[in-house]
Structure formats: structure tokens, C-alpha cells
């Protein structure tokens, strides 16, 4: 579907009013909503940083990482593509360091494969600009002390011939490439399991699965309750399919619910101010056949930069490897919309809460994208055959815009409307979200939550 025909989903949590307000009967210091890699990283950081406080993570699925976190390329990105001072760049740079450090400490499988960003002659300026930007990047906040000679992002600009020395299957039409030795791949499931283990074994951490958040309200401190002196957010949850749920008072609420991250803030905003969420479907194809016999590195084409460019929305249909050396291509980018998109009276946005999970119907891989993917891949690997492609899996990315650059969004709301009762909403956390996850957690806990607590105590 063309981006011009896609409209945002601006649904809100409990828009139907099905769940009535219920006074809380318990209190938790930190409540994290969403058990993807980012939610796990934040909960792990909180339980480590504040060991005597309670940290709960609630996840609607029966296990962690069932959505975007388990349907991606498992690439540890170097931090090449985005504006230098953006959160995407700064947290990717820091997150890459933290990721490799954690993998070494906990024996999490990973490999620094390195990556080639390959260019045809008309794309040469793109890789030259990437190279120039990479050379100027400074060490991000929280980085350990470094010597003046230590480069944040070591990269090399090489010729097409040099690129073919590394990867002989590359097209003779490739005239330049950027070599990034710090890019790698990681076993994301083992990585998430290590975070789960830390949370479970911590003094105040607890993981709660098969539990969905159904309503969020600012706590009314004047209501008659044994918690009347508290401040924060009343979070109502339902476990499995039970009719009666629980009600917790969260002193600090962290919304890390990925593809559903706009539902909670939208439930608190006037309809005209609601935040739309867009959904980018990405298909992956497994490949076995000719044209890749000697491939040992990740290979990325230059993103589209022409009149219909989506350079910030997709990095192109690239070649990645898993830890067993198997090759796959993807993801591509296909915009999807909710079922009511086709309705005759369809408005610019969809307000129907029942459509919030419509994207689940788009997770079945099919061969409908293979021809287009094959055509894109042969631009840089001409020896691959269409017969070697087969559908593998599909992922959906949460997007806040349809075109142009959109940074990670870290939104702050307060239960009292000013500075007390903090809620942090993490929205638009797509690639490089996996790589950035530990740095996102560090930023949220150390630079947002802890500073808010210091401010309140003064």
C-alpha cells in the first residue's frame, strides 16, 4: 500500500469505557508495561539501580519478546545512518558498546560480522557522506573515558574492487562501499532471557505475563483510600480472560508497549491531540542457491534516495546472516492499515480501539513479495536466483511518521499535571531499537527517572 493511502491508528485504551475506574489496592514503585527487549532492559536497569524498590513488568503475552523484538534482523547496528545528535544515533552508539559488553559478560552468542554498505556510481555521494559523518561522531553520554586516538565509529571508505575482494559475489557495477567492522549479529532471544533472569533474581523485580493493561488514570489523591497520600498512576490489569482485574498504583509508570505504545497516552489526551501510529510491515526471505557462496558479512544496499525516497523509513532489502551462517534477505517495507481503511466513510485516522491489533493479521509470510525482493537484491548480488528465495517470517515496525526522519520519542506525562507522578512513554522504538535497548534503559532510568526524583526531593 502506498504511504499516501495509509492513515494512522489513533485508538485509545478503554475508549469504549468498558472498564470502570477502580481504586488501587496495592502500590508499586515502578511499573513497566511491555515485555519486549526495551521493556525488559528498562525493568532490568530499574531493579539494578533501585534494588530496594519494587519493579513490576507486565506483558500481555505468555512470554517476553513476542512482537517486534522477535521479528527483526538481530543485527547489532554500528550507528551510521541517522542525524548525529539524534537519540537514534546516540543511543545506538552507546547501546552497541553495552550490548557487546553484556554478551561477553553473560556468554550470549554474537558475532562481529562487519557490514558493507554498497553503492553504484550514482549512489557514491551517499556512502561518502556516511563516511564523513561517522568520522566526526563523538562518544555518547555515559561512555567510559577514552583516549583522543580512540574513534567512536571506525569505518573505511573502499572502492568497488576492494569490496569485491571482501565479497566476490558483489556486482561489478558496485563502485564504492563503506566498511563497518563493528556491525554484528546477536542471539536476541538469549539476550532477552538474560534480562529476564536478572529481573527475576533481583530483590524487588517481578515479571507478570499473560496480563494486559486495560485502563490508566491519574491517581486522585483526595479519594478515600489507605493510599491517599500517594501520587502516581492507577493501572488496571486483567490476567488471561478473567473478568475481574487488579488495580495498582504505580508511583512511576513506564510505557514500553511497542506497537501499542500510543494507546495509553491517547486515553488521556483530547481526541484532536491524539498520537497516530503507523505500521510498516517487513517481509524476510530465506535463501539457498547460487550467488552467495562466499558471503561472510552483512551487505546493505544504499537506501532509496530518489523522488520516492524512504531512506529513513527503510534501509533497503539487505543480506543478513544468522549465527549458523544461514542467509536471509529483508526486510522490505509495506505500509499496512486497519480494516476500516477501505470503508466508504473512512476518515484520515482510525479511532477504533478494536483495530489496535489489526497488524497481527499481517504476520503470515507469503510469496507475494519475493519477486520484488529478488529484483532489489540482484542490484548488488546479480548471481542470486529467484528459485532460491522462500518466505521466512514477517515483522511489523511501529512508526510515528510516513516519511522523513522521526527520532525515538520519549514522552513525559505527570499525574498531577505538573511534576509529580511521572509516566514515560517510549514510542516509535523501531530499528535500531534492539541495539539501543540497554542505552534506552540507561537514558530513561539515569537521565529521566532519577533526575525527576532528585527534582521532587529538593
Amino acid at each position: 500500500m502506498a504511504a499516501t493511502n495509509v492513515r494512522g491508528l489513533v485508538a485509545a485504551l478503554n475508549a469504549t469505557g468498558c472498564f470502570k475506574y477502580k481504586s488501587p489496592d496495592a502500590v508499586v514503585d515502578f511499573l513497566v508495561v511491555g515485555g519486549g527487549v526495551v521493556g525488559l532492559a528498562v525493568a532490568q536497569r530499574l531493579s539494578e539501580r533501585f534494588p530496594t524498590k519494587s519493579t513490576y513488568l507486565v506483558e500481555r503475552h505468555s512470554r517476553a519478546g513476542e512482537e517486534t523484538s522477535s521479528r527483526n534482523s538481530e543485527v547489532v547496528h554500528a550507528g551510521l545512518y541517522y542525524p548525529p545528535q539524534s537519540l537514534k544515533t546516540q543511543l545506538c552508539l552507546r547501546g552497541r558498546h553495552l550490548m557487546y559488553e553484556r554478551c561477553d559478560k553473560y556468554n550470549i552468542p554474537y558475532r562481529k560480522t562487519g557490514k558493507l554498505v554498497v553503492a553504484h556510481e550514482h549512489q557514491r555521494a551517499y556512502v561518502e557522506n556516511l563516511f564523513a559523518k561517522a568520522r566526526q561522531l563523538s562518544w555518547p553520554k555515559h561512555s567510559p573515558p577514552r583516549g583522543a586516538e580512540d574513534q567512536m565509529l571506525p569505518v573505511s571508505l573502499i572502492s568497488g574492487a576492494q569490496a569485491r575482494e571482501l565479497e566476490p559475489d558483489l556486482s561489478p557495477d558496485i563502485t564504492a562501499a563503506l566498511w563497518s567492522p563493528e556491525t554484528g549479529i546477536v542471539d536476541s532471544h538469549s539476550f532477552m532471557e538474560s534480562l529476564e533472569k536478572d529481573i527475576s533474581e533481583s530483590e524487588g523485580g517481578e515479571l507478570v505475563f499473560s496480563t494486559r493493561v486495560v485502563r490508566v488514570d491519574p491517581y486522585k489523591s483526595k479519594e478515600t483510600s489507605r493510599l491517599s497520600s500517594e501520587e502516581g498512576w492507577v493501572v488496571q490489569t486483567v490476567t488471561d480472560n478473567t473478568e475481574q482485574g487488579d488495580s495498582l498504583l504505580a508511583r512511576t509508570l513506564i510505557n514500553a508497549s511497542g506497537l501499542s505504545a500510543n494507546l495509553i497516552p491517547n486515553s488521556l489526551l483530547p481526541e484532536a491531540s491524539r498520537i497516530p501510529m503507523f505500521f510498516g510491515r517487513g517481509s524476510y526471505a530465506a535463501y539457498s542457491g547460487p550467488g552467495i557462496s562466499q558471503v561472510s558479512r552483512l551487505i546493505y544496499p544504499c537506501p532509496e534516495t530518489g523522488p520516492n525516497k524512504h531512506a529513513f523509513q527503510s534501509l533497503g532489502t539487505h543480506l543478513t546472516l544468522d549465527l549458523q551462517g544461514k542467509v536471509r534477505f529483508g526486510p522490505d517495507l509495506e505500509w499496512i492499515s486497519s480494516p476500516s481503511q477501505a470503508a466508504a466513510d473512512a476518515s484520515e485516522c482510525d479511532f477504533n480501539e478494536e483495530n489496535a491489533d489489526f497488524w497481527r493479521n499481517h504476520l503470515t509470510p507469503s510469496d507475494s513479495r519475493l519477486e520484488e525482493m529478488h529484483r532489489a537484491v540482484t542490484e548488488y548480488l546479480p548471481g542470486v536466483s529467484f528459485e532460491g528465495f522462500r518466505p521466512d517470517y514477517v515483522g511489523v515496525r511501529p512508526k510515528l511518521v510516513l516519511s522523513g526522519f522521526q527520532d525515538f520519542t520519549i514522552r513525559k506525562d505527570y499525574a498531577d499535571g505538573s511534576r509529580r507522578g511521572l509516566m514515560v512513554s517510549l514510542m516509535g522504538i523501531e530499528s535500531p531499537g534492539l541495539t539501543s535497548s540497554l542505552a534506552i534503559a540507561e537514558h530513561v532510568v539515569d537521565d529521566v527517572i532519577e533526575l525527576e526524583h532528585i527534582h521532587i526531593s529538593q
Side-chain angles (χ1 to χ4, degrees), residues 23-168:
S23 293
D25 47 30
V27 63
V28 61
D29 291 305
F30 304 107
L31 180 64
V32 180
V33 180
V37 66
V38 172
L40 288 169
V42 171
Q44 188 274 337
R45 183 83 180 181
L46 286 167
S47 61
E48 178 181 73
R49 186 71 185 82
F50 303 104
T52 61
K53 294 184 180 294
S54 54
T55 298
Y56 289 6
L57 182 148
V58 293
E59 164 56 43
R60 62 176 176 164
H61 297 292
S62 60
R63 57 185 178 181
E66 283 292 276
E67 296 183 7
T68 307
S69 298
S70 61
R71 294 174 175 271
N72 59 69
S73 301
E74 295 190 305
V75 171
V76 182
H77 289 282
L80 290 170
Y81 292 100
Y82 304 105
Q85 296 308 311
S86 66
L87 287 175
K88 279 191 173 181
T89 293
Q90 293 296 303
L91 297 179
C92 183
L93 293 173
R94 175 66 177 149
R96 168 171 53 84
H97 171 78
L98 292 173
M99 173 75 77
Y100 286 143
E101 185 177 70
R102 185 173 182 86
C103 287
D104 285 333
K105 181 177 180 179
Y106 291 95
N107 295 315
I108 299 166
Y110 78 96
R111 185 163 76 247
K112 286 189 183 181
T113 57
K115 175 173 78 175
L116 285 169
V117 183
V118 297
H120 294 80
E121 183 58 33
H122 69 280
Q123 299 168 322
R124 179 185 291 271
Y126 180 83
V127 292
E128 289 176 345
N129 288 337
L130 280 186
F131 175 72
K133 183 178 73 175
R135 299 282 291 180
Q136 295 172 3
L137 289 172
S138 57
W139 290 87
K141 188 176 181 180
H142 300 297
S143 296
R146 300 281 175 171
E149 71 284 355
D150 291 328
Q151 192 177 345
M152 175 66 243
L153 184 52
V155 292
S156 303
L157 189 62
I158 62 177
S159 67
Q162 289 173 311
R164 281 182 289 278
E165 288 180 9
L166 296 175
E167 296 294 349

Side-chain angles (χ1 to χ4, degrees), residues 197-210:
K197 186 172 185 290
D198 275 5
I199 298 165
S200 299
E201 293 180 354
S202 68
E203 182 180 346
E206 186 169 340
L207 298 165
V208 183
F209 293 110
S210 301

Side-chain angles (χ1 to χ4, degrees), residues 200-320:
S200 299
E201 293 180 354
S202 68
E203 182 180 346
E206 186 169 340
L207 298 165
V208 183
F209 293 110
S210 301
T211 299
R212 57 193 175 98
V213 172
V214 296
R215 178 170 177 148
V216 172
D217 295 274
Y219 182 58
K220 302 165 186 171
S221 57
K222 293 182 180 179
E223 67 179 83
T224 304
S225 167
R226 63 185 178 86
L227 306 175
S228 58
S229 62
E230 294 283 355
E231 292 167 327
W233 299 89
V234 180
V235 181
Q236 293 177 230
T237 62
V238 171
T239 299
D240 293 324
N241 296 316
T242 57
E243 293 184 7
Q244 295 296 321
D246 298 310
S247 184
L248 282 173
L249 172 60
R251 293 184 173 119
T252 300
L253 177 61
I254 301 93
N255 167 24
S257 49
L259 292 161
S260 306
N262 64 332
L263 298 183
I264 292 177
N266 280 352
S267 70
L268 306 167
L269 292 169
E271 196 169 279
S273 302
R274 287 185 183 177
I275 303 161
M277 185 72 79
F278 302 95
F279 301 84
R281 181 181 190 265
S283 296
Y284 293 83
Y287 182 79
S288 58
I292 58 161
S293 59
Q294 302 180 67
V295 168
S296 61
R297 300 163 183 85
L298 310 186
I299 304 175
Y300 281 53
C302 289
E304 289 185 22
T305 54
N308 298 315
K309 63 183 179 182
H310 56 246
F312 284 128
Q313 299 300 326
S314 170
L315 299 180
T317 303
H318 46 264
L319 179 150
T320 60

Side-chain angles (χ1 to χ4, degrees), residues 353-400:
E353 184 188 2
E354 293 181 359
N355 289 334
D357 286 337
F358 81 93
W359 53 267
R360 291 194 192 187
N361 298 322
H362 295 264
L363 294 179
T364 303
S366 73
D367 58 9
S368 63
R369 309 288 295 179
L370 294 185
E371 187 174 343
E372 185 177 340
M373 294 178 74
H374 173 253
R375 185 165 55 249
V377 170
T378 54
E379 290 291 316
Y380 60 95
L381 288 171
V384 299
S385 68
F386 177 73
E387 291 73 22
F389 283 72
R390 69 180 186 280
D392 196 359
Y393 61 96
V394 171
V396 177
R397 291 160 272 179
K399 292 181 175 288
L400 298 177

